Amino acid sequence: MLAGKHVTLIIGGGIAAYKSLDLIRKLRRAGAHVTPVLTRAGAEFVTPLSVAALAGEQVYQDLFDLKDETEMGHIQLSRAADLLVVAPATADMMAKMAGGHADDLATTLLLATDKPVLIAPAMNLRMWDHAATRRNLAQLRADGVGVVGPDSGDMACGEFGPGRMAEPDAILDAIAAGFASGPLAGKRVLVTSGPTHEPIDPVRYIANRSSGAQGTAIATALRDLGADVVFVTGPASVAHPTGVHVVAVETARDMLQAVHDALPVDAAVMAAAVADWRVENAFTQKIKKTTQATPELMFSENPDILKTVSSHELRPKLVIGFAAETENVVANATTKRARKGCDWIVANDVSPATGIMGGAENSVHLVTAHGVEDWPRMPKTDVARQLADRIAKALT
Ligand code: CTP
């Protein structure tokens, strides 16, 4: 998919810049040509020599470098690529991009380009959470900029949380998805999947039997049709799909936040089996039977993610919910569609006798504004492919 593609890689100033060296190697191994651009701050973290050696091409650094202007002007440089990637994209770079600044070579290329742009943000978690960065991110997404990551984890500054640059493999996947062809190419689709875990104490939680198999199959089928897929998953027992942007969460509230961060999207498929309640009085230490009486758990209702997305100011064009029912499947699903405000409901009977929850097959009813379709029992991968085809028809 990447063979022969030209990628301009802008390396910003962050400790994650070292990962961009690996990204260059991986892009070239996949057959892409990499034109590296190093910002002044980026050059504090990686040397032009190592970037040029790995890219096998000259590094562009300065807007006013006349030699570069005679060989390749900055306008030409901004258009010669098939895709511009900014990795790492610092908070400052995102702010400049969102504001349309052009005060160095990198920002000038980004403003002058007519090609798609993908950013891999990397920054301290407080900077990532700051209202200004949130605003800039929303603006960049609205401007059509693709975003991969950031991941959560230990940070160079000693803190833990979201802000780490996505791994080179994930960036490579996002780049490949950007070049994908198919009816959903250029469309961004959110899929939620798996169960959520609601903590009782640090070692115990409340969960459900969802394996994540149906959501994973849907994400894969959408990817195969060329969609750029954001896959928000609870702790599922099946492996994550490849070639999609995975956001792993634990609780319903984490999932809501991740879904919120993923908007805007063209379509949302909410296949997750979200816990309806969480433990309000979760214990901060392990509950000990030797020193404590039998615990009494108090529950409070979790946010309804599907309902929130259906009435969101950034509501996707197509919102699809699932209905896990054990009786009156179609009737319950029909009222659920109205109650949640979504466009379609994929209803299934999850009574233990059906073997659907945790199994490899599914038997679904598609409830839309036009009525109910009963699909025959088939492998979850086939349900996913049929649903992805329907989504492609609805979006194009
Ligand atoms: N859902 C959600 N957030 C919740 C609960 C459910 O987004 N807190 C979504 C699921 O992902 C699914 C749909 O809502 O797409 C229906 O989930 P289901 O568990 O069948 O319905 P409930 O909302 O739990 O309603 P009920 O208790 O009546 O079955």
Side-chain angles (χ1 to χ4, degrees), residues 157-217:
C157 50
E159 293 185 283
F160 182 92
R164 259 168 54 148
M165 189 170 90
E167 292 303 321
D169 279 332
I171 301 176
L172 195 71
D173 283 345
I175 293 171
F179 288 125
S181 54
L184 287 174
K187 302 286 182 202
R188 189 174 145 85
V189 184
L190 166 73
V191 178
T192 69
S193 182
T196 62
H197 285 182
E198 307 296 330
I200 297 172
D201 70 13
V203 295
R204 303 180 177 95
Y205 56 82
I206 291 176
N208 60 63
R209 295 182 200 281
S210 168
S211 63
Q214 187 64 81
T216 299

Side-chain angles (χ1 to χ4, degrees), residues 270-272 274-276 302-306 321-324 336 339-340:
M270 316 297 266
V274 185
D276 287 325
N302 267 330
D304 191 316
I305 304 168
L306 175 59
F322 271 67
K336 203 169 267 184
R339 197 171 71 238
K340 305 251 187 180

Side-chain angles (χ1 to χ4, degrees), residues 19 31 51 55 101 151 161 168 222 382 388:
K19 290 195 204 172
V51 173
H101 293 223
D151 292 344
L222 290 164
D382 289 350

Side-chain angles (χ1 to χ4, degrees), residues 22-318:
D22 192 26
L23 178 62
I24 295 174
R25 271 190 334 111
K26 288 187 150 81
L27 279 165
R28 291 196 68 201
R29 206 182 296 148
H33 304 281
V34 181
T35 303
V37 175
L38 195 55
T39 66
R40 185 179 303 185
E44 299 289 331
F45 292 90
V46 290
T47 69
L49 192 61
S50 43
V51 173
L54 286 166
E57 286 209 34
Q58 113 170 67
V59 183
Y60 293 88
Q61 288 182 273
D62 195 348
L63 186 57
F64 301 108
D65 185 333
L66 288 178
K67 183 169 169 288
D68 292 349
E69 284 297 310
T70 43
E71 282 177 4
M72 187 189 263
H74 65 267
I75 301 293
Q76 195 191 341
L77 185 57
S78 73
R79 312 237 170 115
D82 297 301
L83 172 75
L84 274 68
V85 178
V86 188
T90 60
D92 180 60
M93 174 69 86
M94 287 174 60
K96 284 182 171 158
M97 288 173 72
H101 293 223
D103 60 357
D104 64 3
L105 178 60
T107 48
T108 304
L109 295 182
L110 288 160
L111 197 62
T113 193
D114 57 355
K115 296 294 167 19
V117 176
L118 175 75
I119 62 171
M123 66 198 71
N124 168 272
L125 69 145
R126 303 262 172 263
M127 294 169 82
W128 174 248
D129 274 341
H130 196 283
T133 307
R134 304 268 107 193
R135 270 198 313 275
N136 294 333
L137 180 68
Q139 184 60 56
L140 290 171
R141 283 207 164 118
D143 293 346
V145 171
V147 184
V148 52
D151 292 344
S152 278
D154 286 322
M155 310 199 63
C157 50
E159 293 185 283
F160 182 92
R164 259 168 54 148
M165 189 170 90
E167 292 303 321
D169 279 332
I171 301 176
L172 195 71
D173 283 345
I175 293 171
F179 288 125
S181 54
L184 287 174
K187 302 286 182 202
R188 189 174 145 85
V189 184
L190 166 73
V191 178
T192 69
S193 182
T196 62
H197 285 182
E198 307 296 330
I200 297 172
D201 70 13
V203 295
R204 303 180 177 95
Y205 56 82
I206 291 176
N208 60 63
R209 295 182 200 281
S210 168
S211 63
Q214 187 64 81
T216 299
I218 291 168
T220 305
L222 290 164
R223 177 205 67 191
D224 288 347
L225 294 186
D228 173 14
V229 179
V230 184
F231 182 70
V232 177
T233 178
S237 51
V238 300
H240 294 162
T242 57
V244 304
H245 176 47
V246 177
V247 185
V249 297
E250 192 176 326
T251 67
R253 284 183 296 173
D254 297 341
M255 187 173 274
L256 177 64
Q257 183 62 50
V259 163
H260 202 90
D261 290 348
L263 298 179
V265 294
D266 296 289
V269 186
M270 316 297 266
V274 185
D276 287 325
W277 298 279
R278 66 177 175 278
V279 180
E280 182 61 43
N281 58 338
F283 291 69
T284 51
Q285 300 298 330
K286 185 185 171 201
I287 307 169
K288 304 290 284 179
K289 67 176 178 298
T290 44
T291 52
Q292 276 162 270
T294 305
E296 285 189 7
L297 302 182
M298 279 165 47
F299 291 93
S300 59
E301 200 170 326
N302 267 330
D304 191 316
I305 304 168
L306 175 59
K307 204 168 169 178
T308 307
V309 169
S310 297
S311 56
H312 201 281
E313 55 177 353
L314 294 175
R315 187 193 196 278
K317 184 176 170 202
L318 181 63

